[in-house]
């Protein structure tokens, strides 16, 4: 469905404004808090190159500068953000391409069988980290209104991204673990750079660390864009005040949504990485289950809706298709600790409060809201 808001629009059309608003809360919190992990990761990577960055004041200054600079970058428009992300992606992947090439003569398959000591495996952390690294494909939908021919552009972009992302994970991991005699316990945050140094020399280690910093910059910028345009889409639907859909005269970007998202991400940047990942995964799982339900519901109840592309399966087929990832989502939620459950319940309650507060303000005329265009997406 063209227009910003993506999955909020889908759920809104399937189950009504309350479900759409709750979906927006879950996914926005995921995007905004998830983005907060990247300034902290960037600071950690910089610490390996310049240890002085790890000290209290310097670390805070690094995180704040990172956040403010990329918030301003997002205000210049998605074209600038997109091409910047492409350039950063190429720069971030290049040292891994070289590392894989240099590692090939040194790979010994027996090293892939190395195991940790008894009791050293943390399956919950593995599951959460894998899930966090491999989800978020639907976040691009929140910017559909900014993309020309999204029905043709999105499938091509997603297929390319899945292939590049998969190879970008698997090949360097096989190369590094197969070429370096390092115990599994050595593989902490940032050890990939140490492995690159052992394989190709110090120059490759430093290049890998710089690539990690550039990767964090690109990921943060794209995550912020997705979250900000989600707010703008919710404002277009009437879930939030029209201020969040207001565009800057110079660049045509939703400046209020970008500013709010940047402020929230900055505030959350000082949480631990593991805490951020666990909470965002739980909320993301809730949102995806609702998203799959909307997909099946609209397919069954509104088969007449024009669709730019269509999964060539009937209702039973799409139910079966969605059942596979849904079972994985339930597993991610089942392994969450009680603190994650409490935090997720608090965010959900906040989403319910936001919906009714916005409804109250709309009825009383306290805030200005955009008109809901019920038929706006009917002819997509």
């Amino acid at each position: 469905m063209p227009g910003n808001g993506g999955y909020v629009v889908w759920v809104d059309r399937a189950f009504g404004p309350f479900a759409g608003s709750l979906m927006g809360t879950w996914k926005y919190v995921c995007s905004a808090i998830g983005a907060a992990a990247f300034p902290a990761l960037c600071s950690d990577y910089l610490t390996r190159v310049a240890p002085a960055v790890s000290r209290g004041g310097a670390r805070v200054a690094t995180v704040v500068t990172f956040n403010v600079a990329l918030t301003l970058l997002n205000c210049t428009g998605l074209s600038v953000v997109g091409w910047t992300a492409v350039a950063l992606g190429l720069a971030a992947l290049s040292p891994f391409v070289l590392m894989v090439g240099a590692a090939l003569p040194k790979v010994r398959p027996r090293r892939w069988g190395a195991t940790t000591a008894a009791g050293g495996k943390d399956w919950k952390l593995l599951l959460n980290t894998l899930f966090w690294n491999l989800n978020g494909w639907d976040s691009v939908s929140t910017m559909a209104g900014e993309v020309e021919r999204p029905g043709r552009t999105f499938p091509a972009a997603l297929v390319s991204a899945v292939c590049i992302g998969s190879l970008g994970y698997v090949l360097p991991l096989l190369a590094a673990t197969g070429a370096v005699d390092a115990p599994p316990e050595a593989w902490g945050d940032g050890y990939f750079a140490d492995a690159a140094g052992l394989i190709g020399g110090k120059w490759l280690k430093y290049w890998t660390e710089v690539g990690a910093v550039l990767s964090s910059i690109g990921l943060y910028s794209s995550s912020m864009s997705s979250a900000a345009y989600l707010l703008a889409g919710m404002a277009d639907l009437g879930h939030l005040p029209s201020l969040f859909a207001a565009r800057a005269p110079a660049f045509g970007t939703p400046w209020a949504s970008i500013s709010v998202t940047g402020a929230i991400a900055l505030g959350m940047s000082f949480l631990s990485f593991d805490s951020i990942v666990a909470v965002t995964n739980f909320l993301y799982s809730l949102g995806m289950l609702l998203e799959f339900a909307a997909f099946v519901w609209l397919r069954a109840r509104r088969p007449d809706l024009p669709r730019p592309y269509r999964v060539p399966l009937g209702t039973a087929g799409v139910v079966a298709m969605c059942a596979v990832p849904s079972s994985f989502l339930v597993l991610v939620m089942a392994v969450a600790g009680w603190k994650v459950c409490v935090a997720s319940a608090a965010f959900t309650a906040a989403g319910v409060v936001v919906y009714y507060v916005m409804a109250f303000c709309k009825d009383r005329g306290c805030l200005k809201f955009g008109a809901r265009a019920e038929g706006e997406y009917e002819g997509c």
Side-chain angles (χ1 to χ4, degrees):
M1 294 179 181
N4 298 322
Y7 34 73
V8 174
V9 178
W10 311 338
V11 172
D12 185 281
R13 289 293 177 269
F15 304 124
F18 176 77
S21 178
L22 194 59
M23 178 71 159
T25 299
W26 286 335
K27 287 301 190 84
Y28 179 75
V29 170
C30 289
S31 298
I33 296 182
F38 298 117
L41 285 175
C42 180
S43 178
D44 290 342
Y45 294 139
L46 285 174
T47 297
R48 300 177 65 86
V49 179
V53 174
S54 64
R55 301 187 183 100
R59 180 179 175 82
V60 171
T62 300
V63 171
V64 171
T65 301
F66 183 102
N67 179 279
V68 172
L70 293 181
T71 299
L72 293 175
L73 175 67
N74 270 266
C75 288
T76 62
L78 285 180
S79 293
V80 176
V81 172
W83 285 111
T84 300
V86 169
L88 291 172
L90 293 174
L93 287 171
S94 57
F96 291 97
V97 173
L98 294 174
M99 184 187 72
V100 170
L104 285 177
K106 304 177 182 180
V107 169
R108 300 294 180 270
R110 61 175 175 77
R111 294 176 177 139
W112 293 331
T115 58
T116 59
K121 298 181 178 68
D122 190 339
W123 293 103
K124 183 187 297 185
L125 180 59
L126 171 66
L127 183 62
N128 273 315
T129 304
L130 281 174
F131 188 76
W132 186 76
N133 275 314
L134 299 172
N135 68 21
W137 299 102
D138 58 335
S139 62
V140 71
S141 67
T142 65
M143 298 173 280
E146 312 297 314
V147 177
E148 294 182 5
R149 303 181 303 278
R152 294 173 54 189
T153 302
F154 280 163
L158 287 171
V159 168
S160 302
V162 169
C163 294
I164 294 171
S166 299
L167 292 174
Y169 279 118
V170 174
L171 293 182
L173 189 60
L174 288 173
T177 55
V180 175
D181 277 316
E185 293 78 10
W187 285 85
D189 291 344
Y191 187 75
F192 240 129
D194 295 335
L198 294 173
I199 293 169
K202 285 188 175 181
W203 65 274
L204 187 55
K205 173 185 176 180
Y206 292 134
W207 192 356
T208 303
E209 289 168 341
V210 171
V213 172
L214 297 178
S215 174
S216 296
I217 292 173
L219 289 166
Y220 178 83
S221 183
S222 58
S223 296
M224 176 179 284
S225 293
S226 174
Y229 280 89
L230 170 57
L231 283 187
M234 291 180 69
D236 289 336
L237 284 170
H239 291 307
L240 293 174
S242 56
L243 172 66
F244 289 98
R247 303 290 178 131
F251 301 108
T253 51
W255 62 270
S257 294
I258 293 172
S259 300
V260 169
T261 302
I264 292 174
L266 176 60
M268 296 289 182
S269 294
F270 301 99
L271 296 175
S272 73
F273 176 77
D274 292 350
S275 299
I276 290 174
V277 168
V279 173
T280 57
N281 282 353
F282 194 97
L283 293 174
Y284 184 86
S285 297
L286 287 174
M288 282 305 305
L289 290 172
L290 185 56
E291 193 172 318
F292 288 145
F295 170 56
V296 174
W297 182 271
L298 289 173
R299 171 62 70 87
R301 296 299 182 93
R302 295 298 307 275
D304 57 307
L305 277 178
R307 290 169 167 86
Y309 41 88
R310 179 187 180 94
V311 177
L313 298 171
T315 302
V318 297
V319 169
M321 182 185 72
C322 292
V324 176
S326 294
S327 61
F328 187 68
L329 295 167
V330 172
L331 175 61
V332 170
M333 296 167 66
V335 301
W338 69 268
K339 292 182 180 179
V340 172
C341 294
V342 170
S344 300
F347 281 121
T348 300
V352 174
V353 170
V354 166
Y355 174 78
Y356 285 107
V357 168
M358 292 298 105
F360 175 82
C361 292
K362 196 180 300 183
D363 291 340
R364 297 296 180 92
C366 305
L367 297 171
K368 183 180 179 182
F369 290 82
R372 280 179 59 90
E374 297 294 343
E376 181 179 354
Y377 302 104
E378 297 298 324
C380 57

